[in-house]
C-alpha cells in the first residue's frame, strides 16, 4: 500500500497528470512509516511557525482546533468528529486527483477528498500532485469556518452545473477555485493574509505571496477572476484579495449561466496582466515572471 494505483492520465487544471481510482479508501493509518510521520511533523512545524505572520486567523484557529500538530499524521476519524460537529463536513480518503464530476459530487455533499499518501522527504518544497499534507493541512482547517464551508459546498453544486454546460464554463469555474480556494488572499487589520490552500501548504509561496514585490495583488472581482488564466508550475503572477468570506459567498451566489455565456465570446486575461478597471493593492514589478502557456 505504499504507491497509489494510477489508473490513467488526464489533462486537468494541474496539467497532464495521473488520475487515480475514483472510489474512496479507508485511511491506511497503520501502514504509514516512521518517515511518513516525520515528513508530516517537519512540514507541520515549519508552516505553524511561519504562518502567524502570513495566514488569516480563521485558518490558524482551524489548525489548532484540529490538533494537527499533536504528533504524526492525523487520523481522519479523529478530525471527522470535530468537523462533523462544527459544520457537517467530512474528510474522505482518496488515492489522488479525481475526475471533475466525482470531485464536485463530494463537495456538493460536504465531503472533502484527501489523498491518503504523503510526499517523500526529498519533496518537502515541491511536488506536482496534491498529497496528504496539501489536502489536509491546506484545505481542511477552513472547513471549520461556517461561511467558507458553505462556499465550498456551493462550489461543488456549481461545478456539476458547469460540467453540464461544457468545457469553457468548467474552465471559468476552475479559475475561480484556483484564485480563491487555492491561491486566495484576504484583507485583515494586520494587512493582507493568506487563506488559499495552495499557498499555506508551501513555505516558499507563503512568503512570496505576501512579501514579494513581484506579483500583482488585486481586489476580488468575480468576472475578472473567472476570465483570468493562471500558472500551474510557478508561483502565481497575480493574487486576488477578498474583504472577507461573506464577500466571496455573496458574490458567487447568483446563477453563473449568463456569466459563462458572456465570457465564452471574449479573450481571457493573461496571468500577470493588470487592467485599468482593477482595484490594485499592489502592482507587481513582474520580476522573475516567465511567459508561456497558462490555463
Ligand atoms: N452560483 C454559482 C452558479 O450558478 C454556483 C457557485 C457558488 C459557484 C459558489 C462557485 C461558488 O453556478
Amino acid at each position: 500500500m505504499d504507491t497509489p494505483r494510477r489508473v490513467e492520465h488526464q489533462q486537468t487544471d494541474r496539467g497532464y497528470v495521473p488520475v487515480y481510482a475514483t472510489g474512496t479508501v479507508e485511511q491506511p493509518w497503520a501502514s504509514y512509516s516512521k518517515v511518513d510521520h516525520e515528513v508530516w511533523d517537519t512540514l507541520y512545524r515549519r508552516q505553524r511557525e511561519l504562518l502567524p505572520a502570513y495566514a488569516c486567523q480563521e485558518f490558524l484557529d482551524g489548525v489548532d482546533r484540529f490538533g494537527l500538530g499533536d504528533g504524526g499524521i492525523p487520523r481522519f476519524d479523529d478530525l471527522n468528529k470535530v468537523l462533523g460537529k462544527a459544520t457537517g463536513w467530512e474528510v474522505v480518503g482518496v488515492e489522488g486527483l479525481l475526475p471533475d464530476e466525482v470531485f464536485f459530487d463530494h463537495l456538493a455533499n460536504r465531503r472533502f477528498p484527501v489523498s491518503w499518501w504523503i510526499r517523500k522527504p526529498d519533496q518537502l518544497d515541491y511536488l506536482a500532485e496534491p498529497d496528504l499534507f496539501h489536502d489536509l493541512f491546506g484545505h481542511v482547517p477552513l472547513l471549520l469556518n461556517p461561511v467558507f464551508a458553505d462556499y465550498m459546498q456551493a462550489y461543488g453544486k456549481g461545478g456539476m452545473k458547469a460540467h453540464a454546460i461544457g468545457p469553457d464554463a468548467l474552465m471559468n469555474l476552475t479559475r475561480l477555485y484556483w484564485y480563491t480556494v487555492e491561491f486566495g488572499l484576504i484583507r485583515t487589520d494586520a494587512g493582507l493574509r493568506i487563506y488559499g490552500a495552495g499557498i499555506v501548504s508551501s513555505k516558499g509561496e507563503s512568503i512570496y505571496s505576501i512579501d514579494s514585490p513581484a506579483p500583482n495583488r488585486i481586489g476580488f472581482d468575480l468576472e475578472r477572476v473567472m476570465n483570468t488564466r493562471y500558472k500551474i508550475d510557478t508561483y502565481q503572477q497575480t493574487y486576488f484579495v477578498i474583504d472577507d468570506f461573506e464577500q466571496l459567498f455573496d458574490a458567487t451566489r447568483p446563477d453563473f449561466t449568463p456569466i459563462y455565456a458572456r465570457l465564452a465570446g471574449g479573450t481571457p486575461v493573461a496571468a500577470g496582466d493588470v487592467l485599468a478597471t482593477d482595484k490594485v493593492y499592489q502592482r507587481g514589478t513582474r520580476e522573475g515572471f516567465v511567459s508561456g502557456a497558462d490555463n
Side-chain angles (χ1 to χ4, degrees):
M1 257 289 216
D2 54 357
T3 37
R5 298 185 306 277
R6 308 190 166 191
V7 291
E8 57 182 309
H9 281 70
Q10 186 176 289
Q11 186 66 40
T12 74
D13 62 355
R14 292 179 182 84
Y16 195 64
V17 298
V19 170
Y20 299 97
T22 56
T24 59
V25 291
E26 190 76 21
Q27 183 188 27
W29 201 84
S31 79
Y32 292 131
S33 67
K34 187 163 169 278
V35 171
D36 290 335
H37 288 296
E38 282 167 6
V39 167
W40 173 276
D41 289 342
T42 303
L43 287 168
Y44 172 84
R45 214 173 309 121
R46 212 166 73 160
Q47 291 309 92
R48 189 63 188 83
E49 273 166 26
L50 176 72
L51 289 176
Y54 291 92
C56 66
Q57 196 56 45
E58 291 89 338
F59 175 82
L60 297 168
D61 288 346
V63 168
D64 293 342
R65 233 169 112 190
F66 276 125
L68 295 184
D70 288 353
I73 295 174
R75 293 178 190 260
F76 295 174
D77 287 349
D78 292 342
L79 304 178
N80 280 337
K81 284 176 200 140
V82 179
L83 189 52
K85 224 174 286 164
T87 55
W89 272 79
E90 178 192 2
V91 165
V92 292
V94 294
E95 302 281 2
L97 282 176
L98 298 169
D100 291 324
E101 323 84 85
V102 180
F103 180 63
F104 294 143
D105 182 65
H106 281 307
L107 297 187
N109 290 286
R110 292 175 100 85
R111 293 186 303 264
F112 194 80
V114 172
S115 305
W116 66 263
W117 55 275
I118 193 157
R119 69 191 73 184
K120 300 294 172 205
D122 60 355
Q123 299 172 307
L124 293 189
D125 293 315
Y126 184 79
L127 77 173
E129 321 161 39
D131 73 331
L132 181 139
F133 186 75
H134 167 78
D135 287 343
L136 196 54
F137 184 87
H139 285 281
V140 177
L142 275 185
L143 293 175
L144 289 175
N145 179 277
V147 179
F148 192 80
D150 287 348
Y151 172 68
M152 289 294 281
Q153 178 179 27
Y155 181 87
K157 292 183 185 167
M160 293 162 111
K161 198 164 82 183
H163 187 259
I165 294 174
D168 290 348
L170 205 52
M171 179 48 83
N172 295 143
L173 190 71
T174 299
R175 290 179 185 144
L176 172 65
Y177 189 87
W178 192 264
Y179 281 119
T180 59
V181 177
E182 295 289 359
F183 292 98
L185 299 183
I186 185 166
R187 266 174 60 186
T188 77
D189 293 341
L192 298 188
R193 288 288 184 267
I194 307 159
Y195 71 93
I199 314 180
V200 288
S201 59
S202 156
K203 181 182 178 189
E205 192 150 5
S206 291
I207 297 168
Y208 175 90
S209 68
I210 298 294
D211 289 345
S212 171
N216 306 307
R217 300 183 184 85
I218 293 172
F220 177 85
D221 175 273
L222 180 66
E223 234 168 289
R224 161 73 155 98
V225 169
M226 290 172 72
N227 198 33
T228 305
R229 294 180 186 276
Y230 59 84
K231 295 283 173 190
I232 56 167
D233 51 7
T234 68
Y235 295 157
Q236 299 308 304
Q237 298 183 341
T238 298
Y239 297 95
F240 289 96
V241 181
I242 59 170
D243 296 329
D244 49 40
F245 294 124
E246 281 81 5
Q247 179 200 17
L248 187 56
F249 190 62
D250 290 345
T252 50
R253 203 191 304 269
D255 181 8
F256 285 4
T257 310
I259 304 181
Y260 294 138
R262 225 172 6 250
L263 295 181
T267 321
V269 180
D273 283 1
V274 177
L275 307 179
T277 43
D278 286 338
K279 176 175 180 183
V280 180
Y281 289 104
Q282 146 105 30
R283 182 180 289 266
T285 61
R286 311 180 68 89
E287 195 194 331
F289 277 18
V290 285
S291 51
D294 302 335
N295 276 30

